[in-house]
Amino acid sequence: MKLILENVRSISNRQEFEVKPLTFLVGENSTGKTTFLAMLAAALSGEIVQTTPDFNISPFDLGSFDNIASFRGGKAGRSKRFTVGLEAEWLPRHRARRGQPETIRIVSEFRSDKGQIVLASHIAESSKGKLTANLTEDAINIDVEVKSTSTSKNSKPLKITETYHEPSDKLSSSIHSFAGSLSMAAISKGADTQSALEAHSALAHFIFDLEGFGKPPLAMAPVRSKPSRTYDDLRDDFRPGGDHIPLVQILLFS
């Protein structure tokens, strides 16, 4: 698995971090350890495919756009955009008993809209196809190309380009589901070069894989820094002091 970051706090240059089953983060304060964990959680939780993502889900609180985008100082100032992406092998649930894992790569770029973090561009790729989205203040441009599911030698990739003329911040769904519904509508209007049924099937498989990609991680402190004999206030949301650990242990082992 790879976590892709650029212009995110102290990580100003584009980096692709390899994440192994056991990964240690070592560094002094303010070198990006918490930022790394927060962005990994956001990527796996699906926030980076939302048109208006939330990077302040417990236990992480990264703040507003100005708190996240790198500040380079001098004339460069604060970055106008920041990038978060994820690449991993993924076996969708509908293919859990057959088939091979699919390598999926998603990269999202974010900008500020009056202090709110909004999606500016998005690219999602797999062996089945590629989705590209560019979002402005008043329109969303979608380009989708998926491979045909037909075994015919004459089959061609399905290519769709559509523009949706509405403010992007009005959307509540993920960019994947929105692109899928927009493209399906285009196919129904006769925009495809293949049979409608075949085109629907190819696109549906591609979008379904993207929509099911990722699994929210569990974040918890490894040790208690404030041990107590009794725990009257039981909670399972993260606390730096470890107040959440007794309840988390009960939930995990009961």
Side-chain angles (χ1 to χ4, degrees), residues 54-74:
D54 183 4
F55 290 103
N56 298 306
I57 298 176
S58 180
F60 304 106
D61 186 1
L62 297 183
S64 64
F65 180 90
D66 287 346
N67 298 121
I68 298 176
S70 298
F71 183 74
R72 297 175 179 270

Side-chain angles (χ1 to χ4, degrees), residues 217-230:
L218 173 65
M220 59 183 293
V223 295
R224 287 185 54 80
S225 57
K226 296 190 301 182
S228 303
R229 290 184 177 275
T230 60

Side-chain angles (χ1 to χ4, degrees), residues 13-15 40 56 70 79 81 96 99 108 117 127 144 150 153-154 156 170 182 184 192 219 225 227 254:
N13 296 323
R14 191 181 184 91
Q15 302 283 343
L40 181 61
N56 298 306
S70 298
S79 300
R81 298 187 176 192
S108 294
I117 300 172
S127 64
V144 179
S150 173
K153 294 182 179 180
N154 297 322
K156 298 180 180 180
K170 299 299 182 182
L182 193 68
M184 288 292 187
D192 61 309
S225 57
S254 61

Side-chain angles (χ1 to χ4, degrees), residues 2-8 14-15 35-36 38-44 47-49 53 55 62 68 81-87 105-110 117 119 121-123:
K2 292 181 181 179
L3 177 66
I4 304 159
L5 299 177
E6 183 178 7
N7 292 326
V8 178
R14 191 181 184 91
Q15 302 283 343
T35 298
F36 177 93
M39 288 304 176
L40 181 61
L44 288 170
E47 284 300 319
I48 65 172
V49 303
F55 290 103
L62 297 183
I68 298 176
R81 298 187 176 192
F82 68 86
T83 300
V84 185
L86 187 69
E87 179 182 306
R105 181 182 176 93
I106 58 176
V107 180
S108 294
E109 191 175 49
F110 302 93
I117 300 172
L119 186 64
S121 66
H122 178 77
I123 297 176

Side-chain angles (χ1 to χ4, degrees), residues 190-201:
D192 61 309
T193 58
Q194 308 167 75
S195 69
L197 182 61
E198 181 184 312
H200 269 276
S201 176

